[in-house]
């Protein structure tokens, strides 16, 4: 369940296919602005020489980037980097490239806006649909957040497991497909923050357990409200972290 953003990613050539390496390197270069919006990517000859891949691999890599909305081929012109409004921001790779390039407060707050749009409703669905086994699983995940040995990274993983379990227990496949956005928002919050013992995360188990208790009671509105509180709390941590950086 642990996703790409939370993993230590291996970037050695042998750990990835040639196709994945080309897509990853060009994707990061586009998102970071090495290849600015509206610019034309280097031609095939230059890219073939740079990546030491076949023309077939390069062509498939360009198709993958185009499917993510980052580029568009133009006959007799070349492959152009598209405007950001065309980028698939729900794509886990596109999100990862943003984090690797460095994200700002606005980007993270936008992620929390999207979470507020669907996670509270997902929690209310869980209150209606979850089985007894699913509820006990959620209870165990919330309890695990109280472990005193957590680091920021391990707490982020525990938090991610809980929120993805909520989307799964909603029994709505569209909810589960939004897991990458949840992961990105949590990574951003925890990476911006100090260790959990000193930044107000000490109550995280309690706030998540409140969601579980509402679900166990079959109280959809209470589950909705409890999830809203958790997301607003995370959003506030992001804001405070950037404010602290500005004052430093």
């Amino acid at each position: 369940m642990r996703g790409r953003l939370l993993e230590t990613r291996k970037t050695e050539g042998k750990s990835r296919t040639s196709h994945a390496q080309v897509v990853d390197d060009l994707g990061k270069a586009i998102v970071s602005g090495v290849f600015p919006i509206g610019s034309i990517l280097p031609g095939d000859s230059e890219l073939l020489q740079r990546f030491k891949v076949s023309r077939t691999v390069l062509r498939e890599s360009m198709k993958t980037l185009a499917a993510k909305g980052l580029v568009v081929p133009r006959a007799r012109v070349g492959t152009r980097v598209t405007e950001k409004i065309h980028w698939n921001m729900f794509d886990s790779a596109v999100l990862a490239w943003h984090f690797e390039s460095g994200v700002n407060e606005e980007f993270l707050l936008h992620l929390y806006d999207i979470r507020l749009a669907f996670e509270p409703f997902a929690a209310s669905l869980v209150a209606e649909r979850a089985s007894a086994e699913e509820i006990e699983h959620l209870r165990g995940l919330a309890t695990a957040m109280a472990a005193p040995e957590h680091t920021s990274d391990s707490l982020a993983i525990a938090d991610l497991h809980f929120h993805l379990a909520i989307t799964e227990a909603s029994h709505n496949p569209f909810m589960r497909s939004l897991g990458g956005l949840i992961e990105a928002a949590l990574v951003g919050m925890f990476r911006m923050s100090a260790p959990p013992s000193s930044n107000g995360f000490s109550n995280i188990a309690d706030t998540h357990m409140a969601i579980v208790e509402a679900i166990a009671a079959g109280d959809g509105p209470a589950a909705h409200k409890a999830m809203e509180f958790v997301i607003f709390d995370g959003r506030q941590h992001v804001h405070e972290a950037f404010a602290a950086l500005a004052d430093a």
Side-chain angles (χ1 to χ4, degrees):
M1 188 180 293
R2 187 176 171 185
R4 175 179 182 176
L5 290 166
L6 285 168
E7 289 179 334
T8 300
R9 299 178 59 218
K10 297 179 180 179
T11 57
E12 298 298 327
K14 292 182 180 179
S15 67
R16 295 182 289 173
T17 65
S18 297
H19 171 269
Q21 181 180 353
V22 174
V23 171
D24 200 51
D25 288 356
L26 288 178
K28 284 188 289 188
I30 291 169
V31 170
S32 66
V34 173
F35 297 127
I37 291 170
S39 66
I40 303 297
L41 294 184
D44 286 0
S45 296
E46 182 178 337
L47 292 177
L48 290 170
Q49 178 63 29
R50 177 186 302 186
F51 292 110
K52 309 298 184 185
V53 296
S54 69
R55 192 172 295 275
T56 298
V57 168
L58 182 61
R59 182 168 59 249
E60 291 304 312
S61 299
M62 290 302 180
K63 287 182 179 178
T64 299
L65 291 171
K68 297 178 186 296
L70 271 64
V71 299
V72 60
R74 296 297 187 197
R76 296 185 296 278
V77 174
T79 302
R80 185 183 299 277
V81 177
T82 61
E83 296 285 340
K84 286 187 177 181
I85 59 172
H86 299 296
W87 298 2
N88 181 6
M89 298 302 295
F90 289 82
D91 186 282
S92 60
V94 176
L95 287 169
W97 294 331
H98 276 84
F99 275 86
E100 291 174 27
S101 302
V103 295
N104 57 21
E105 181 178 9
E106 182 182 33
F107 181 88
L108 291 176
L109 294 182
H110 284 328
L111 283 173
Y112 276 87
D113 289 343
I114 295 298
R115 290 187 68 194
L116 280 169
F118 73 87
E119 281 194 79
F121 182 66
S124 68
L125 289 180
V126 176
E128 298 174 5
R129 302 175 179 178
S131 67
E133 291 78 12
E134 288 170 326
I135 293 171
E136 285 311 303
H137 179 57
L138 288 169
R139 192 182 302 279
L141 292 174
T143 300
M145 294 183 195
E149 66 272 15
H150 272 310
T151 63
S152 290
D153 282 347
S154 67
L155 189 56
I157 294 166
D159 201 0
L160 174 62
H161 286 182
F162 180 90
H163 287 276
L164 292 185
I166 288 286
T167 65
E168 290 168 356
S170 73
H171 298 279
N172 183 318
F174 294 99
M175 292 291 184
R176 181 61 185 86
S177 69
L178 295 170
L181 293 176
I182 300 173
E183 183 181 7
L186 293 175
V187 168
M189 178 180 69
F190 283 100
R191 286 185 177 173
M192 285 298 302
S193 303
S197 60
S198 62
N199 68 356
F201 290 151
S202 58
N203 70 333
I204 191 169
D206 293 337
T207 58
H208 285 69
M209 190 60 77
I211 299 171
V212 178
E213 295 299 345
I215 288 170
D219 190 338
H224 189 288
K225 185 176 181 180
M227 179 64 81
E228 273 189 340
F229 179 87
V230 164
I231 298 173
F232 275 122
D233 189 51
R235 198 177 193 278
Q236 184 62 26
H237 278 295
V238 169
H239 179 71
E240 290 172 356
F242 275 97
L245 286 175
D247 293 339

